[in-house]
Amino acid sequence: MCMVIFAPLFAVLAFATCGGYSGQIMVKVECFDKTQNNISISFNYPFRLQEVHFSALLCEGTRKETLFLEGDYASSAQFFVTVSVLAFLYSLLATIVYFFYQNKYREKNRGPVVDFLVTLAFSSLWLVSSIAWAKTLSGVKTVTDVHQILLLMSACRAQENLCEVLQEPIWTNLNMSVAFGFFNFFLWAGNIWFAYKETGLHKSTKRHLSRTPSEKRGSFRQYSQTSFDQSGGGFGQRLYNQGSFDLSTGGFSLPRTNLGQPMLYQQVGSPTSRGPLIFVNEM
């Protein structure tokens, strides 16, 4: 529920603070002949600073020079804003599905699995885009530093002229956008476990792990009881009896088995001496 409430909100804050940014620098140039010139430099999202140019007084009559800033930081900024917008749209869609299409969401477990995979994807995207945007913002601050701007102007490099900074860019919104980016990462990453629980995969895993040892013992015990039951006619049935001597006839009888009918052999010898009778099973 927290994910449903806070994810769209912080996604909006992330792309609003970055995509809606506009900075301005104002510099006052006063030449040695008391000629003054106010220079205004504006830049905004997506921070293609190489396209930002301004005209500065040379303090040589009315001559001016046109200067350009350096650096193209649009890719990282646009990537960050794109992730923010997509996360916002998906959060809205997920909210609608949670509240109005709960049956469809849980049908055949497709909804929870898709939600789990998308949550993993957005967690990774938030992390990568936030790191890239934080590094890019550091570069933007370096290029638009007022001291770097003054060094670009020829009039400000001359000691006889006076240059004064009237306005510097405010970085509060961009700093907050980086903070919101990392906050969104922790928000989506923290929801991975809850999205995984909705899939029900952890229940089947626990059931398998907890059931396997006992089932093995139970199946082995059942197999032992059924296979070696001496009361039945299975493998465990006693198939033989003890052998015995017949003292009256002087013979020896082997136990009966289930392997076949015995054959009678008599020792060849004198009629007065009778040897033992030997029963051999014929296969």
Side-chain angles (χ1 to χ4, degrees):
M1 184 61 67
C2 293
M3 178 67 182
V4 173
I5 297 175
F6 292 110
L9 174 62
F10 285 101
V12 169
L13 293 176
F15 73 74
T17 51
C18 178
Y21 180 80
S22 179
Q24 188 174 15
I25 302 173
M26 292 189 66
V27 178
K28 177 183 178 181
V29 179
E30 185 177 349
C31 301
F32 65 94
D33 59 356
K34 303 304 179 182
T35 304
Q36 295 183 359
N37 182 27
N38 292 334
I39 302 171
S40 178
I41 306 171
S42 298
F43 61 95
N44 50 31
Y45 174 85
F47 306 104
R48 293 189 175 93
L49 300 182
Q50 81 278 6
E51 299 178 359
V52 178
H53 62 277
F54 57 95
S55 298
L57 190 65
L58 286 173
C59 291
E60 298 175 1
T62 58
R63 295 178 57 193
K64 292 185 176 182
E65 62 179 349
T66 301
L67 301 174
F68 288 82
L69 299 182
E70 297 179 355
D72 185 1
Y73 302 95
S75 58
S76 297
Q78 289 177 334
F79 177 50
F80 180 79
V81 171
T82 300
V83 172
S84 304
V85 173
L86 292 178
F88 170 73
L89 295 177
Y90 178 78
S91 299
L92 286 183
L93 177 62
T95 303
I96 295 174
V97 172
Y98 289 160
F99 285 102
F100 299 103
Y101 299 97
Q102 189 65 228
N103 294 333
K104 291 290 184 180
Y105 173 76
R106 298 187 178 278
E107 183 178 357
K108 296 182 179 180
N109 207 31
R110 294 176 181 176
V113 172
V114 171
D115 190 27
F116 172 66
L117 296 177
V118 173
T119 302
L120 282 176
F122 270 112
S123 299
S124 302
L125 290 174
W126 274 117
L127 179 61
V128 174
S129 62
S130 298
I131 293 175
W133 171 231
K135 183 178 180 180
T136 298
L137 179 57
S138 178
V140 173
K141 291 180 179 180
T142 300
V143 173
T144 57
D145 184 70
V146 290
H147 299 289
Q148 295 293 332
I149 300 296
L150 295 179
L151 291 176
L152 289 176
M153 295 185 289
S154 301
C156 295
R157 293 197 296 267
Q159 296 182 355
E160 62 272 14
N161 302 322
L162 178 64
C163 294
E164 181 182 1
V165 178
L166 301 179
Q167 183 178 347
E168 296 184 17
I170 300 174
W171 304 109
T172 304
N173 286 348
L174 294 184
N175 292 334
M176 291 179 62
S177 68
V178 174
F180 286 134
F182 284 105
F183 185 85
N184 277 283
F185 161 69
F186 288 115
L187 183 64
W188 285 80
N191 192 56
I192 291 177
W193 169 244
F194 298 100
Y196 177 71
K197 288 177 63 178
E198 289 293 326
T199 61
L201 298 177
H202 70 290
K203 295 181 180 179
S204 59
T205 303
K206 289 182 178 179
R207 189 183 305 114
H208 175 74
L209 293 176
S210 61
R211 185 182 58 183
T212 301
S214 60
E215 283 188 346
K216 286 184 176 180
R217 291 191 297 268
S219 61
F220 178 76
R221 189 179 300 113
Q222 183 179 3
Y223 176 77
S224 302
Q225 292 175 355
T226 56
S227 299
F228 299 96
D229 187 5
Q230 297 185 5
S231 61
F235 177 77
Q237 183 178 4
R238 182 174 298 178
L239 300 179
Y240 60 90
N241 297 319
Q242 294 181 351
S244 60
F245 283 96
D246 190 356
L247 298 178
S248 62
T249 59
F252 174 77
S253 62
L254 290 176
R256 291 182 176 271
T257 66
N258 293 336
L259 298 179
Q261 297 297 328
M263 296 182 65
L264 179 63
Y265 290 85
Q266 186 174 1
Q267 184 177 359
V268 178
S270 62
T272 58
S273 62
R274 299 182 61 184
L277 296 179
I278 301 175
F279 293 87
V280 178
N281 291 325
E282 182 179 2
M283 299 299 297

